[in-house]
Amino acid sequence: MLRQFSLRAKLRLINLVALTALLVIGISAIEARRSSMMEDVRRQLRDQMSIVFSMLDHYRLQAESGALSTAEAQQRALAQLRSIRYQDKEFFSVGSMEPVMLMHPAVPALEGKNFGELRDKNGKAFIREMLDKTRSHGSAYVEYWWPKAGETAPSPKLSFARHYAPWDWLVNTGMYIDNINRQFYRDSIWFVGVLLLVSLLVTVLSNLLGQSVLSALQDILTRMRAVEETGDLSQRFPTERRDEFGELARGVSSLLGSLREAQTELRQHRDSLEEMVQAQTQDLRQAKEEAERANAAKSLFLSNMSHELRTPMHGVLSFAKIGEEKAQLLSTSATPARPDMERLSTYFQRIHSSGARLMNLLNDLLDIAKLESGRMELNLQPLSLNSCIQQALQEFEVQLQTRQLSIALQLPEADCSLLADHFRLGQVVRNLISNAIKFSPDKSEISIRYHCSPPDAAGTANVELVFADQGVGIPAAELESVFDKFVQSSQTRTGAGGTGLGLAISREIVQAHHGEIFARQRPPQGSEFVIRLPVSMPSATQTTQRN
Ligand code: ADP
């Protein structure tokens, strides 16, 4: 429940409780002091009364023993009582229970008179009360107001009355208690003063304490709100205080420190995550582009392939049909005409060339299938590169002449000794010459050169073979992709002719020889294909290993 109140209200509550407790303790103490003083007075009255009763007994016994008459004993007792004083001026009075005053040293005029109806300034019939109580209890204390001897103004007084049964007397004595009341007032005033002083001190101290606590709390709260609103974890807290607030501020500071570290770590993670996601997105994008390229290449390959297959097949079928009809006609003719015979021969040539073209295509497909399954075997033999190139060129003699293409050969006099598979390396050389012819304009020049480099630091000598043409060239971005299967350069992609397998097969063969093949642009016009092969090979016969 206390949690619902503010700190200031709680401090006020503590003040109130403390002051109330002080008030209760103070009042009780004053009350106790007054009671003890009153008890002191009562004891004195009782003691004095006991002495007087002993004296009365003395006279009564004298009367009973016959030494004195009862009246005489009573007279002597009253005379002695009249002269008794204690505490300076306190005295005893004696009356009968009727009540008639028998002896009153202070107001002798009362003697012989009925004093039962005497009242004090407040109208209190104190004699009646005294008689009633004494009759039932034997003695009684009664408080009332009565003037002191020689004074007219009444003062508070405590009287003690006791019944002396043998003579049926009411013996009374009293003491003024105005000094006790005065002491009570003095005590009360002193206590109120102390109470006021203490409450002032407590209020001031609790206000100071509250102020200090609240300002420290307010300070911390303001800074925490600033952290909450701005998210700025570098906010400073007043850690120099040595009390609990200093400790709290130090705790919050270290908490913010930990949060700062966690935030930095989180930011780093987020950044690296972003980089990772970016890298992965990039990879995915590349993979997607590659897949799209592969798909486009596949579509192109299918269209090329169907063209490549259909054209020679169509040629084979058409010329076979025409040849068949011609042959039937000639068989019925007794003397076949020479032009007819020549035409028949041309048809067979066409059938042969179309079949050869088909054969080449099938060979390429079989080669790539073999290479893909890693089952191509190389038969490595010492090879003369000069004669390999010369042999290949001979195969293209007719085409070169028809297209009026010149070949510039730069071959070293001393042949480089190579270990290579004659057929496969010849296949590579033929493919490169064929491409150079295919993509060169008429009457241009194709250059073929090679040289052997001296052994490098690892002891490996290389031969570098270059096929350069002045043809359409290959865009820089496609220099590598033309070696992919079924891929053709954007410069030469016509939709007719070429399967895009020749360079892929060539690269497989060269790599199987531990060499490399690549393309580059030839300024100002054309392209160059470069083959690098190690001069010495590790073993005489080996099988290509593909993953
Ligand atoms: P094909 O010639 O049967 O299409 P290749 O694998 O031999 O297959 O060549 C792939 C592609 O590389 C060719 O289609 C062509 O676009 C390009 N290319 C090859 N050689 C040359 C060259 N000398 N000049 C220009 N482009 C070439």
Side-chain angles (χ1 to χ4, degrees), residues 278-307:
Q278 267 175 8
Q280 280 180 356
T281 314
Q282 180 69 18
D283 287 353
L284 283 174
R285 200 175 291 134
Q286 269 175 7
K288 181 175 159 267
E289 282 166 6
E290 266 166 33
E292 280 170 358
R293 265 204 305 276
N295 193 34
K298 184 202 75 187
S299 307
L300 194 62
F301 166 72
L302 285 177
S303 93
N304 284 352
M305 199 51 87
S306 55
H307 178 85

Side-chain angles (χ1 to χ4, degrees), residues 435 438-439 469 474 487-489 492 498-503 527 529:
N435 279 349
K438 201 163 31 170
F439 301 115
D469 62 52
I474 301 171
V487 173
Q488 295 182 321
S489 120
T492 67
T499 57
L501 286 174
L503 286 179
S527 27
F529 284 81

Side-chain angles (χ1 to χ4, degrees), residues 286 289-298 300-301 368 435 473-493 499-507 517-521 528-529:
Q286 269 175 7
E289 282 166 6
E290 266 166 33
E292 280 170 358
R293 265 204 305 276
N295 193 34
K298 184 202 75 187
L300 194 62
F301 166 72
I368 202 77
N435 279 349
I474 301 171
E478 297 172 16
L479 286 170
E480 189 51 35
S481 64
V482 289
F483 287 93
D484 291 344
K485 290 184 282 283
F486 314 122
V487 173
Q488 295 182 321
S489 120
S490 55
Q491 291 288 79
T492 67
R493 206 178 289 145
T499 57
L501 286 174
L503 286 179
I505 293 170
S506 298
R507 179 166 268 181
I517 178 171
F518 58 89
R520 64 189 177 206
Q521 289 176 320
E528 283 188 349
F529 284 81

